[in-house]
Amino acid sequence: MIHKSKLRSENRGIGMTSQGTRDRLVQTLRSEGIRDERVLNAITRVPRHEFVDEALSSRAYENTALPIGLSQTISQPWIVARMTEAILDGGKPEKVLEVGTGSGYQAAILSHLVPKVFTVERIDELLKLARRRFHRLRLNNIFVRYADGQLGWPGQAPFDGIMITAAAQAIPTDLLEQLAIGGLLVMPIERDGQQRLITVRRTEDGFEEKDLGGVVFVPLLSGLA
Ligand code: SAH
């Protein structure tokens, strides 16, 4: 016989969003090469089920991208962890800009690791939902802006890190200009019909690029929606 209270909690999806479920996701990420314990700790702390539609909350701790409406997706936890690890680069950036707020999950992860997080989104409806989540979770160090993120956030530049969470055809020059010396840009870019995750470090003399491997992202688009 199934105990009544167990039945009720399963109906509410509590079992699927419990700390144990989150811990299993962290184990998966660790086994798939994520090493920075600060990043794994942030993944443990952020309730990903709060960033997807209630109907999908039972799948929130699977290592997969999920739809968030308006043809957009919340990134796969592994890629969120990988990009976060890349932008921290073993150090302590003070100010990070994210282009492509989407659900707000990536920004929420960053908010536990970086003193000030700026995030820009071109779809008003998504930004409104993300802003509500930040408020509810009391993530008061995230600042949001409704704009075309290819232009960055000039009034807040320079940034120690900039992360683009949608695939670009080319590296946006405005974003390179808004990087601090020593700062790092992490982004997916289209090359030879594939998407690659790259980092670009700004040095005293110029820019140094590295390739971190193949990825799949929704496209970076121009203008507002
Ligand atoms: N970081 C998000 C992933 C969102 S998917 C998360 O954690 O959920 C990529 C997002 O980039 C989409 O919401 C899309 O609308 C947004 N986007 C695409 N082009 C953009 C642009 N030029 N400026 C700002 N946001 C953009």
Side-chain angles (χ1 to χ4, degrees):
M1 185 179 122
I2 299 172
H3 197 273
K4 233 192 205 157
S5 67
K6 182 161 184 275
L7 197 66
R8 229 181 287 132
S9 74
E10 277 179 359
N11 283 345
R12 286 205 307 263
I14 283 173
M16 299 305 288
T17 56
S18 68
Q19 197 59 53
T21 315
R22 276 186 233 178
D23 291 344
R24 273 195 294 285
L25 171 61
V26 166
Q27 276 168 26
T28 304
L29 299 179
R30 196 180 264 123
S31 72
E32 292 185 8
I34 304 301
R35 293 279 171 266
D36 191 326
E37 288 298 325
R38 296 174 297 172
V39 175
L40 294 169
N41 188 40
I43 300 264
T44 308
R45 288 173 69 183
V46 177
R48 191 168 183 255
H49 67 274
E50 300 269 359
F51 292 82
V52 295
D53 194 85
E54 223 179 315
L56 286 171
S57 60
S58 68
R59 301 192 54 203
Y61 298 94
E62 290 174 18
N63 190 18
T64 54
L66 293 169
I68 54 171
L70 299 140
S71 311
Q72 304 305 320
T73 53
I74 180 172
S75 306
Q76 181 195 14
W78 183 84
I79 197 73
V80 170
R82 188 70 195 93
M83 288 179 85
T84 308
E85 203 172 52
I87 210 151
L88 294 181
D89 195 34
K92 280 191 170 177
E94 290 284 314
K95 268 178 112 172
V96 167
L97 171 69
E98 178 199 25
V99 173
T101 313
S103 69
Y105 179 69
Q106 172 72 74
I109 294 289
L110 287 168
S111 78
H112 288 285
L113 300 162
V114 176
K116 280 188 176 178
V117 179
F118 298 85
T119 182
V120 182
E121 172 58 58
R122 66 179 287 278
I123 301 180
D124 196 31
E125 219 175 308
L126 290 178
L127 193 60
K128 283 195 182 117
L129 287 171
R131 194 186 265 130
R132 228 177 280 157
R133 292 174 180 130
F134 300 150
H135 191 71
R136 195 166 57 224
L137 297 170
R138 296 196 172 81
L139 304 176
N140 302 321
N141 61 336
I142 303 178
F143 306 91
V144 305
R145 187 174 190 218
Y146 173 51
D148 182 340
Q150 293 173 102
L151 307 174
W153 193 326
Q156 291 295 341
F159 298 98
D160 305 309
I162 300 179
M163 183 187 282
I164 311 182
T165 64
Q169 300 292 331
I171 303 173
T173 45
D174 289 278
L175 296 184
L176 289 178
E177 279 165 18
Q178 290 173 34
L179 266 185
I181 305 288
L184 200 64
L185 169 67
V186 183
M187 63 179 286
I189 192 163
E190 300 267 358
R191 290 216 172 126
D192 306 323
Q194 300 182 26
Q195 293 181 11
R196 310 294 301 179
L197 185 65
I198 62 164
T199 62
V200 183
R201 163 92 60 202
R202 182 169 198 173
T203 68
E204 295 279 357
D205 321 312
F207 297 93
E208 284 168 7
E209 195 185 303
K210 272 192 204 159
D211 186 317
L212 302 184
V215 286
V216 181
F217 276 85
V218 295
L220 187 71
L221 300 172
S222 295
L224 297 175

